[in-house]
Amino acid sequence: MHSVLFGRRSSWVRGVLVCLGVVAVGAVLVLALAVDYRSGVYASALAPQVRLSAAAPFLVVPVWVLRRSRVGPWVLAVAGGIAGAVSLGCSAWMHVATGPQGSSAGRADAYTLFEVSALIVVLALTVRHGAAWPTAVAAVVLCAAVVVRPVAVEVSENSLLVALFCAFAVCAALVGALGARLVAVEHRRHTEQVRLEQRLAFARELHDFVAHHVTGVVVQAQGARWSRRPGRR
């Protein structure tokens, strides 16, 4: 009874933490989107590239409901990789559109906080729930997309600092997602081991019960046969 209550309490706490995490991530994304709009990034010369790259992370949203199905992890990893590839393509498009020298407006346009934040969230979700091999490829593409975006237009001291900060954020997301994935795998392995031990114990008890019952039946049958012999009274 205590273990059941403990399991329910742990599940309830886990659900509350997940809800708080979703709210916090949503607040960060909304704040980043507001900052981008306030800076005029979606009305600048690079607005087409910025809007397309900002829409790329939403590829993960439709397939999120499939994550628990058989093909869900593969589809999620592929969607994450496509989102990173679209972002990298838009970064190259920005570099070509602004020319080799760039401009101050172009450098400002490259710092899209919403897209960088959304790609980091997609990276964490992909590493946590995606299939192993496609997730490895998608993680590389997403990491490159996040780190390259600040230096997409021009490499300067400020853009390198922002890229370094993005690299730290990517590393933190990777460590957290990998840790959560390993914990989930270990929990699943422990659960399977407990179930296997319970099945073995039940099989032993059933074997002992059946053996005892069969032995009793055999003894009774032998006793009945002995009592029916002609020489016995």
Side-chain angles (χ1 to χ4, degrees):
M1 184 67 179
H2 176 71
S3 61
V4 174
L5 293 177
F6 182 78
R8 291 179 180 176
R9 182 178 301 178
S10 301
S11 178
W12 180 80
V13 172
R14 192 182 303 111
V16 171
L17 292 178
V18 169
C19 292
L20 291 177
V22 171
V23 171
V25 171
V28 170
L29 292 178
V30 171
L31 179 61
L33 184 62
V35 171
D36 287 341
Y37 268 108
R38 185 69 180 271
S39 64
V41 67
Y42 292 103
S44 62
L46 298 178
Q49 298 91 322
V50 172
R51 291 174 181 174
L52 178 59
S53 60
F58 289 99
L59 291 173
V60 179
V61 176
V63 302
W64 176 247
V65 296
L66 300 175
R67 69 186 188 279
R68 296 186 182 277
S69 64
R70 179 174 299 179
V71 298
W74 284 84
V75 176
L76 180 62
V78 171
I82 293 176
V86 171
S87 178
L88 284 175
C90 290
S91 296
W93 188 9
M94 288 180 182
H95 184 76
V96 173
T98 55
Q101 298 298 325
S103 62
S104 58
R107 288 193 296 271
D109 291 339
Y111 303 153
T112 49
L113 296 179
F114 172 77
E115 182 195 355
V116 170
S117 303
L119 287 178
I120 291 176
V121 174
V122 171
L123 173 64
L125 294 178
T126 303
V127 173
R128 171 61 183 86
H129 297 284
W133 289 110
T135 294
V137 178
V140 173
V141 176
L142 287 168
C143 291
V146 174
V147 176
V148 167
R149 173 46 57 88
V151 295
V153 176
E154 187 180 49
V155 178
S156 62
E157 183 178 358
N158 291 334
S159 63
L160 288 176
L161 289 176
V162 176
L164 182 61
F165 176 78
C166 291
F168 281 122
V170 164
C171 291
L174 278 176
V175 171
L178 283 175
R181 187 183 184 110
L182 292 177
V183 169
V185 170
E186 180 63 22
H187 177 72
R188 187 161 53 247
R189 187 192 66 80
H190 178 71
T191 302
E192 292 296 331
Q193 183 178 359
V194 170
R195 289 179 179 175
L196 179 60
E197 292 176 355
Q198 291 177 349
R199 290 173 182 173
L200 291 176
F202 178 75
R204 285 193 297 266
E205 292 178 359
L206 182 61
H207 176 270
D208 294 340
F209 173 77
V210 172
H212 179 73
H213 182 70
V214 171
T215 302
V217 172
V218 171
V219 170
Q220 291 178 0
Q222 291 178 350
R225 185 186 305 173
W226 180 261
S227 63
R228 292 176 182 176
R229 287 187 176 182
R232 294 192 59 86
R233 294 180 179 179

